[in-house]
Amino acid sequence: MANILAVDDQTSIRQLVKYILELDGHDITLAQDGQEALDMARDQQFDLVISDVNMPGMTGINMVSKIRRMDEYQGTPILMLTTETSDYKKSKARSSGASGWLSKPFEPARLSKAVSKLLH
């Protein structure tokens, strides 16, 4: 299955994403903020990145923009998983390189379906 990087400043969300996606057979690496995720992305190749938008230090949108500048991540899907619902934020995320958007709270089946769709 896929090697996935999940980024969220809330421990409970990171653990929930890990639990759901490990049940689907994926390998999950967790990061608590955008900078930690960037460091991990430089050290290892991920098949998918899932990120919150609002995080301290570096926002998810800024992180996506920086990841997209890395050659090895040009075609990697990036899913934003966030409480944000504004069209402005969605547009900004898309223009930064996000591939999809899933709002919190979410049903586990919706996360699994979104991940499956982005990976195929």
Side-chain angles (χ1 to χ4, degrees):
M1 286 305 218
N3 188 19
I4 299 172
L5 175 60
V7 189
D8 200 296
D9 58 319
Q10 292 184 22
T11 303
S12 59
I13 297 296
R14 289 194 309 270
Q15 293 300 324
L16 179 60
V17 168
K18 180 177 173 71
Y19 176 77
I20 292 166
L21 297 179
E22 282 182 341
L23 286 176
D24 292 339
H26 301 294
D27 292 322
I28 311 302
T29 300
L30 302 176
Q32 65 185 353
D33 60 41
Q35 187 59 56
E36 183 179 24
L38 276 178
D39 293 343
M40 290 176 171
R42 286 186 187 106
D43 292 340
Q44 155 179 18
Q45 181 65 42
F46 294 98
D47 302 309
L48 171 70
V49 177
I50 300 172
S51 179
D52 188 13
V53 170
N54 297 314
M55 296 182 287
M58 181 186 306
T59 69
I61 292 171
N62 288 341
M63 182 206 66
V64 167
S65 179
K66 290 176 188 248
I67 284 178
R68 283 293 183 224
R69 290 188 204 126
M70 299 165 70
D71 290 338
E72 60 273 24
Y73 284 96
Q74 292 296 308
T76 303
I78 301 174
L79 176 66
M80 305 310 291
L81 180 63
T82 181
T83 57
E84 283 289 343
T85 58
S86 78
D87 289 337
Y88 171 76
K89 290 275 186 165
K90 288 179 184 178
S91 175
K92 195 161 172 70
R94 266 189 230 102
S95 67
S96 295
S99 311
W101 189 278
L102 186 62
S103 296
K104 296 178 197 172
F106 58 90
E107 293 293 323
R110 287 194 69 218
L111 176 61
S112 292
K113 184 177 179 179
V115 165
S116 179
K117 184 177 179 180
L118 287 170
L119 290 170
H120 293 95

